[in-house]
Amino acid sequence: MNNENIGALSAATGGALGIIRISGPQSLEILSHIFSKDLTKAQPNTIHYGHLVEHDAVSQHQNIIDEVLVSVFQAPHSYTGEDSAEISCHGSRYILNKVLALLCQHGCRMANPGEFTMRAYLNGKLDLSQAEAVADLIASTNKATHDIAMSQLRGHFSSELGKLREQLLKLTSLIELELDFSDHEDLEFADRSELNELAKIINNYIKKLIQSFETGKAIKQGIPVAIVGKTNVGKSTLLNRLLHEDRAIVSDIHGTTRDTIEDTIDIQGITFRFIDTAGIRQTTDQVEQIGIERTYQAIQKARIVIWMVDQQPSQKEIQEFIEQVKDKSLIITQNKIDKEDGFKIDSSLLNTLQKYSFIKISAKHNLHIDQLEKAIYQAADIPTLTDTDVIVTNARHFDALQRAHASLQRVLDGLGTSNSSSSISHSPLPPDLLAEDLRLAIEHLSEITGGQITPNEVLGNIFKNFCVGK
Ligand SMILES: Nc1nc2c(ncn2[C@@H]2O[C@H](COP(=O)(O)OP(=O)(O)OP(=O)(O)O)[C@@H](O)[C@H]2O)c(=O)[nH]1
Ligand SMILES: [Mg+2]
């Protein structure tokens, strides 16, 4: 495959400049056919000013297509690890199409999505998790997603996995030592409790990575926050206030919002997905009833629930609501504090509410919205990410980690000293079976970075979601 030369537009059209990338063993030769200089003789890692030209066979004229800069990279010192070039031309759709067509005429073909990065992976420039981080980096929309992608791209996750692999190999070698001397029946070279300790440490770290996926997913997709409450309390007004736009219809008619309305905003670098919902009340209106069912579904989907009230809720209402949101972070928000007849929370209720954030606002008059935003950010409970934190954001990695975790759990059970979640006590397994599960755990971890064996269909699946040109 790598004998082919590929080209693609690598920057979105519509800007003042456009970038076309070309890579492959003859890429510099192909480009030289349409460039005013011979780039095959260019020094590696240099930039060349010149003209892109088209040769007219009839008039024997050279038509100048654009004045450009070409960055030349020679294998292996390029993104793909192959000879390659980046043409920086004007962003005209005509010019870009023309240049791509000319490159194809001279022996290049259009790249598939993610093909440049796939080549970088196949040529050992990046491991698989780093290659995936490239897609995440391009898709990042806020500081948190950017930081995680950047840390993964710089190999932080890979190096943590490398350490785990090394520890597992150490464990395997201790067990295999026993295997080598298996003729001596009662011989136990490796101290079982030491093995157990090591396996436990590794497995706990894998578990921590698995658990970080919940946060990783939330950061990547936006943390869902449902705004719920009775009709007319000001939910849609709050949504509009948070979004700084008139997204939802606001009126003093009860039951204005019929369907859920979603939109995102960033608070302190984290994306939150706010869901305005139909107000909850008894109704005979069928459509409104469906809307209210959706409100309950939104509560289920949410990680944070803002319960908005504009009147004193009764003890029973509070209990019922708390029961409904169970495992969610709850923020109770009293709205319309600008009104003279606004209520003052009954002190007998304060005890029940103590556990929850209680914020008083006026959505309409923009009072204390900053406090509410702070409470929302805190409720998200996002750990402050440092450069050394590893957060799993990729479902493929999550899946591989879970399998590695299961294999290691079998090792722990097999060592006979485990206090695994199951209460069944396990008898010690022979070293060959332990070694087999350890080997599986190592294999599962290797899948994340690509290891030696990554079948084509797996690669195809990973790279198909990339943009062309990356
Ligand atoms: N005085 C005052 N009025 C408010 C405030 N927030 C909202 N309102 C008014 O309350 C009424 C209802 O607001 P909405 O935002 O439509 O209420 P809602 O909770 O979305 O109502 P439904 O969609 O029917 O469930 C409107 O007339 C708003 O202008 C506030 O802080 N102070
Ligand atoms: Mg509404």
Side-chain angles (χ1 to χ4, degrees):
M1 184 191 81
N2 285 1
N3 289 330
E4 291 178 326
N5 299 284
I6 52 171
L9 182 62
S10 283
T13 47
L17 296 178
I19 294 178
I20 288 171
R21 207 183 220 176
I22 172 168
S23 184
Q26 287 83 36
S27 55
L28 297 175
E29 196 184 317
I30 292 171
L31 181 51
S32 296
H33 284 299
I34 62 165
F35 191 58
S36 46
K37 279 187 201 165
D38 182 1
L39 295 170
T40 57
K41 299 197 171 64
Q43 290 291 316
N45 309 325
T46 47
I47 298 180
H48 301 264
Y49 166 77
H51 295 106
L52 287 180
V53 291
E54 178 185 28
H55 184 73
D56 189 326
V58 183
S59 66
Q60 293 296 312
H61 262 106
Q62 301 267 30
N63 293 328
I64 295 181
I65 295 161
D66 200 3
E67 249 180 51
V68 300
L69 287 177
V70 175
S71 311
V72 172
F73 306 93
Q74 279 178 12
H77 304 293
S78 68
Y79 179 71
T80 53
E82 308 169 331
D83 281 355
S84 66
E86 282 171 21
I87 309 164
S88 207
C89 51
H90 291 100
S92 133
R93 194 180 291 272
Y94 170 76
I95 293 176
L96 295 166
N97 286 341
K98 185 82 192 167
V99 174
L100 280 171
L102 283 172
L103 289 173
C104 288
Q105 254 177 41
H106 289 280
C108 166
R109 73 160 166 80
M110 295 296 281
N112 296 319
E115 197 169 359
F116 290 96
T117 308
M118 180 160 6
R119 287 186 176 200
Y121 163 67
L122 292 172
N123 290 326
K125 303 292 288 186
L126 299 166
D127 70 32
L128 209 44
S129 82
Q130 286 175 309
E132 285 164 318
V134 173
D136 288 346
L137 191 65
I138 295 170
S140 70
T141 50
N142 58 33
K143 183 165 171 12
T145 42
H146 168 270
D147 287 356
I148 294 175
M150 201 44 153
S151 151
Q152 192 175 317
L153 177 61
R154 300 194 63 192
H156 201 81
F157 186 32
S158 314
S159 93
E160 291 296 300
L161 290 171
K163 282 184 219 158
L164 280 178
R165 231 178 97 104
E166 246 168 58
Q167 285 178 305
L168 284 170
L169 283 170
K170 182 178 162 201
L171 201 57
T172 317
S173 59
L174 287 174
I175 286 177
E176 279 178 351
L177 196 65
E178 282 186 22
L179 269 177
D180 291 345
F181 291 91
S182 52
D183 306 347
H184 305 256
E185 268 186 8
D186 297 327
L187 208 57
E188 229 181 52
F189 280 86
D191 176 349
R192 289 281 154 135
S193 68
E194 199 182 301
L195 291 183
N196 185 57
E197 219 25 61
L198 189 55
K200 238 201 247 163
I201 292 171
I202 304 171
N203 214 20
N204 282 344
Y205 186 69
I206 295 180
K207 201 160 142 198
K208 212 177 105 197
L209 290 177
I210 291 172
Q211 283 165 347
S212 78
F213 184 58
E214 193 58 36
T215 303
K217 215 170 43 174
I219 290 177
K220 209 167 169 179
Q221 295 169 0
I223 295 165
V225 186
I227 308 172
V228 298
K230 290 185 179 170
T231 53
N232 223 42
V233 292
K235 300 179 295 297
S236 303
T237 310
L238 175 63
L239 177 80
N240 293 347
R241 173 66 63 198
L242 290 165
L243 298 176
H244 301 287
E245 67 169 274
D246 277 341
R247 180 76 172 77
I249 300 172
V250 165
S251 87
D252 59 2
I253 302 166
H254 287 254
T256 302
T257 307
R258 293 295 189 96
D259 205 346
T260 51
I261 302 172
E262 286 192 33
D263 218 328
T264 59
I265 57 156
D266 284 2
I267 300 175
Q268 293 184 40
I270 302 282
T271 302
F272 289 85
R273 204 152 35 80
F274 285 95
I275 311 157
D276 177 26
T277 61
I280 298 169
R281 65 166 173 176
Q282 293 294 337
T283 177
T284 49
D285 183 317
Q286 273 191 13
V287 178
E288 192 179 352
Q289 189 54 48
I290 295 169
I292 294 171
E293 278 161 28
R294 290 191 176 185
T295 300
Y296 290 115
Q297 288 164 11
I299 294 177
Q300 292 316 312
K301 274 200 318 194
R303 186 158 150 154
I304 299 169
V305 176
I306 296 179
W307 181 29
M308 188 177 259
V309 293
D310 65 350
Q311 278 170 13
Q312 174 85 61
S314 69
Q315 183 79 33
K316 183 163 166 272
E317 279 173 330
I318 293 174
Q319 288 303 348
E320 277 175 9
F321 199 84
I322 289 174
E323 179 56 29
Q324 219 165 69
V325 295
K326 273 186 239 123
D327 53 333
K328 319 279 172 189
S329 293
L330 176 61
I331 301 172
I332 303 167
T333 306
Q334 176 182 345
N335 190 28
K336 307 189 187 178
I337 56 164
D338 55 294
K339 283 176 77 172
E340 301 225 320
D341 56 352
F343 74 95
K344 193 164 179 308
I345 193 95
D346 189 339
S347 59
S348 66
L349 295 176
L350 282 179
N351 235 359
T352 325
L353 298 179
Q354 217 175 26
K355 272 176 43 198
Y356 306 100
S357 311
F358 185 77
I359 314 277
K360 296 174 174 194
I361 62 163
S362 168
K364 186 172 174 179
H365 298 286
N366 200 10
L367 295 174
H368 306 164
I369 300 300
D370 51 342
Q371 284 179 24
L372 179 62
E373 287 189 344
K374 225 181 251 169
I376 293 167
Y377 182 82
Q378 275 165 8
D381 199 20
I382 298 292
T384 328
L385 301 176
T386 67
D387 287 353
T388 51
D389 282 329
V390 174
I391 302 266
V392 177
T393 57
N394 184 306
R396 192 182 70 81
H397 303 173
F398 174 69
D399 177 56
L401 286 166
Q402 274 192 316
R403 280 179 285 124
H405 182 64
S407 307
L408 261 187
Q409 191 57 54
R410 284 196 300 275
V411 173
L412 277 166
D413 292 343
L415 283 168
T417 45
S418 146
N419 43 5
S420 76
S421 44
S422 66
S423 55
I424 312 157
S425 80
H426 298 265
S427 53
L429 280 183
D432 53 344
L433 291 181
L434 290 176
E436 173 63 18
D437 272 324
L438 278 171
R439 198 185 53 75
L440 278 176
I442 294 173
E443 247 174 47
H444 297 320
L445 290 185
S446 305
E447 278 172 33
I448 298 176
T449 46
Q452 313 87 341
I453 17 146
T454 309
N456 267 341
E457 55 188 307
V458 176
L459 283 186
N461 250 330
I462 292 170
F463 287 101
K464 74 167 191 248
N465 298 320
F466 272 63
C467 44
V468 177
K470 195 61 219 182

